[in-house]
Amino acid sequence: MNTDRPAVSTIRVSDHQQAQIIKQLDAAATSSGHVDRRRHERVALPENIKLTVRIKQVGGTEAVFAVRCRNLSEGGLGFLHGAFVHPGSKCVATFQTPQGEQHSVTGTTKHCEYVTSGVHDVGMVFDSLFDLDGFLDGIADDEAGPRTSTRTKPIVRLRGRVLLIDDSTAARRLV
């Protein structure tokens, strides 16, 4: 999937209204009977992270959208979008940190539900598990680091797969 068009937002409500919609959806989700069946813990994406999603609809149209993240887990992503997204559409979600680092993950839309005022709640399932702890720890490390140019070596993030022999929190951080 490649398109050179810049990301556009199709959500036509204010940031305050978006926050209210997310609050209502989260309240409904915590009272749902499906909470106990979730395989992955969901967390909110930090406010300073930009999220764009490249969507290739089932019919073949493709575009890049700036969306509002609702929640994130190792297995998927929930976001608000201003138009209907067909379930089964292929997606590439790209997270961009304030330092300009980009992290992309591929997946497929699982559901799309109309909420209000042209806003849709979209659920995306990742093709493979996303290292959520490593991603969030990396953001915290970047924010804790010095903001001046006194670093002697640039931070290098490698992409790849790592086999964990000891699946503990300390081992994941070490990797």
Side-chain angles (χ1 to χ4, degrees):
M1 288 190 255
N2 58 3
T3 179
D4 296 328
R5 294 183 207 140
V8 295
S9 176
T10 55
I11 301 175
R12 302 291 179 234
V13 295
S14 69
D15 289 341
H16 176 71
Q17 289 171 309
Q18 289 178 46
Q20 292 298 323
I21 291 169
I22 289 174
K23 191 176 190 179
Q24 290 171 353
L25 289 170
D26 288 345
T30 56
S31 64
S32 169
H34 300 290
V35 173
D36 297 335
R37 293 191 283 166
R38 292 187 181 143
R39 290 179 274 163
H40 308 287
E41 179 186 351
R42 296 179 181 187
V43 297
L45 189 67
E47 291 289 329
N48 57 352
I49 305 299
K50 294 179 184 176
L51 175 63
T52 58
V53 179
R54 182 183 313 269
I55 301 173
K56 184 173 184 179
Q57 295 273 22
V58 175
T61 60
E62 181 178 342
V64 179
F65 300 96
V67 298
R68 174 77 181 260
C69 184
R70 184 170 158 228
N71 54 42
L72 175 65
S73 73
E74 291 178 340
L77 167 70
F79 60 91
L80 298 182
H81 187 43
F84 181 77
V85 180
H86 293 278
S89 298
K90 294 295 182 187
C91 301
V92 177
T94 303
F95 307 97
Q96 183 174 353
T97 67
Q99 291 76 23
E101 294 179 19
Q102 292 187 349
H103 304 272
S104 296
V105 62
T106 60
T108 305
T109 55
K110 192 69 170 176
H111 72 86
C112 181
E113 183 179 328
Y114 180 79
V115 181
T116 184
S117 304
V119 176
H120 293 76
D121 178 32
V122 181
M124 174 182 167
V125 176
F126 298 148
D127 292 338
S128 59
L129 290 181
F130 179 67
D131 181 17
L132 183 61
D133 290 337
F135 176 69
L136 294 177
D137 286 346
I139 293 170
D141 291 345
D142 289 347
E143 290 175 352
R147 301 232 183 251
T148 62
S149 59
T150 58
R151 276 194 188 146
T152 56
K153 293 183 181 178
I155 294 175
V156 177
R157 299 218 191 272
L158 302 175
R159 294 178 193 249
R161 294 180 183 244
V162 176
L163 173 63
L164 289 177
I165 296 171
D166 180 13
D167 191 18
S168 67
T169 305
R172 281 196 304 262
R173 288 185 179 161
L174 176 65
V175 169

